[in-house]
Amino acid sequence: MPRTSPRTPVPRDVWVLVAAAFVIAVGFGLVAPVLPQLATSFGVGATAASVIVSAFALARLVLAPTAGALVDRLGERPVYVTGLLLVAASSAACAFAPDYWTLLAVRGLGGIGSTMFTISASGLIVRLAPPDARGRVSGLYAASFLLGNIAGPVIGGLLASFGLRVPFLVYAGALVVAAAVVHSFLGRRSAAPAHTGAAARPQLLLADALAHAPYRAAVGSNFANGWAALGIRMALVPLFATAALGAGPQAAGLALALYAGGTAAALTFSGRLVDRWGRRPVAVVGLVGTALPTAFLGMSGSEPVFLALSVAAGFGAGFLGPSLQATVADTIGSGRSGGRPLAVFQMASDVGSILGPLAAGALADGIGYGWAFAVSGACLLAAVPLWATRTPASAPAAGPVEGGVEGGVEGGSEDVAARPEAP
């Protein structure tokens, strides 16, 4: 039965993070359309320009464990602000890069900062969100990034008319503003390091997190989401629209926009469903709802069908994000630091978004787009059985795990970290 408890208000500190996320996403969207063009302005080809884009993701992946360790040692707030300032410095340096290799190096520096603020922001959301509102808070945070990513490229395209380097300077300024907002308005006590305070927060070890089936399901699902919903959408959809449908880049852009619109529509209520009905059923709905339209994208023989499936896939993805984030939050709990488990959760998506386009591109070249999209859909469906496994009662824990880890997956969450009988 659905929960009928009164709606828990969202804390002010969470709204600070949501506002900062919007500013960050708008800034990222500013440079996305012009980064490849800036790279090719140095006389390199499309492959070298793509390496610039991949360098950012690769740096995020490689440095994620280090960022997780920093969060456990120093606390979320200083790591978050430092990460933002590193990306700001990287963006400003991109604007003044004199050659291709300098641009490649400073863009990689931005990836280091990105993984720092991403993991620390996730840790803050875990700790600041009320246990019975984690799905709603995750949905708000995801929606702020989504709206920023929609608005950013439009603004970036306009700014590019003043020069390819201008969006990078504006992005750097936006990140400095976001860092100042977080530093000034985020409560110091709520962002204290794990090892300080009267009651020091214990660290959740990665091995203990992996002992819980819901966390393993969330990691596996995030890999599949990175493979299909993130990697394939950005790499294969534009190629399919042009090569297979002959629809041109306008249709590809419209498909990506409709995907984002479908996700935004689902996020208006999916977070509440996660809190009301539980993590597991909403996650399964998200996996299946994203997998089926993705699998059939390569079989769409007309532009209207292609666009309709893009909307449907985006709508399904809107159920997946909040349920996975809330599951990880249940595993860590508000009373512990979980930098390393958060890093692994992020890395799963990054690995999927790197491997997915490579595998799908090879399939598309070898046996056709239909198989490439079908395999991507199958990857999402392969994560569904992970949610059928329950955590044994004897699963080890580094400290008092929230009793809602398993119960939260079934129906909402209950922060009972202080209860002595919690497993």
Side-chain angles (χ1 to χ4, degrees), residues 25 64 80 86 117 126 139 191 197 199 207 231 263 269 277 310 330 350 355 359 397 416:
Y80 186 101
L86 274 177
F117 77 69
V126 166
T263 302
F269 62 90
W277 297 104
S310 297
D330 289 340
D350 289 339
L355 295 181
V416 292

Side-chain angles (χ1 to χ4, degrees), residues 195-381:
H195 59 279
T196 63
R201 290 186 293 121
Q203 295 180 14
L204 175 63
L205 300 179
L206 177 60
D208 296 321
L210 290 171
H212 293 276
Y215 175 77
R216 296 196 301 271
V219 170
S221 299
N222 213 30
F223 171 81
N225 188 46
W227 177 298
L230 301 179
I232 300 303
R233 175 170 59 95
M234 299 304 297
L236 210 61
V237 165
L239 295 176
F240 176 76
T242 303
L245 295 180
Q250 295 82 6
L254 181 57
L256 295 177
L258 290 174
Y259 183 101
T263 302
L267 284 173
T268 59
F269 62 90
S270 62
R272 292 194 297 272
L273 288 181
V274 169
D275 294 325
R276 190 175 180 86
W277 297 104
R279 290 37 165 155
R280 176 181 288 122
V282 180
V284 171
V285 168
L287 288 169
V288 175
T290 309
L292 295 181
T294 299
F296 287 104
L297 263 176
M299 304 176 192
S300 54
S302 64
E303 186 175 338
V305 175
F306 171 67
L307 296 177
L309 289 173
S310 297
V311 175
F315 191 77
F319 289 84
L320 196 53
S323 57
L324 300 186
Q325 293 284 348
T327 299
V328 174
D330 289 340
T331 303
I332 297 172
S334 57
R336 294 196 293 194
S337 176
R340 289 177 177 83
L342 285 169
V344 170
F345 178 70
Q346 174 192 294
M347 290 171 66
S349 176
D350 289 339
V351 171
S353 64
I354 293 172
L355 295 181
L358 295 176
L363 287 170
D365 289 338
I367 52 180
Y369 283 97
W371 281 101
F373 282 108
V375 169
S376 300
C379 183
L380 287 162
L381 290 177

Side-chain angles (χ1 to χ4, degrees), residues 63-90:
L63 271 296
T66 302
L70 286 175
V71 167
D72 286 336
R73 183 174 180 81
L74 303 176
E76 293 92 348
R77 176 179 169 154
V79 177
Y80 186 101
V81 173
T82 303
L84 286 181
L85 294 178
L86 274 177
V87 182
S90 166

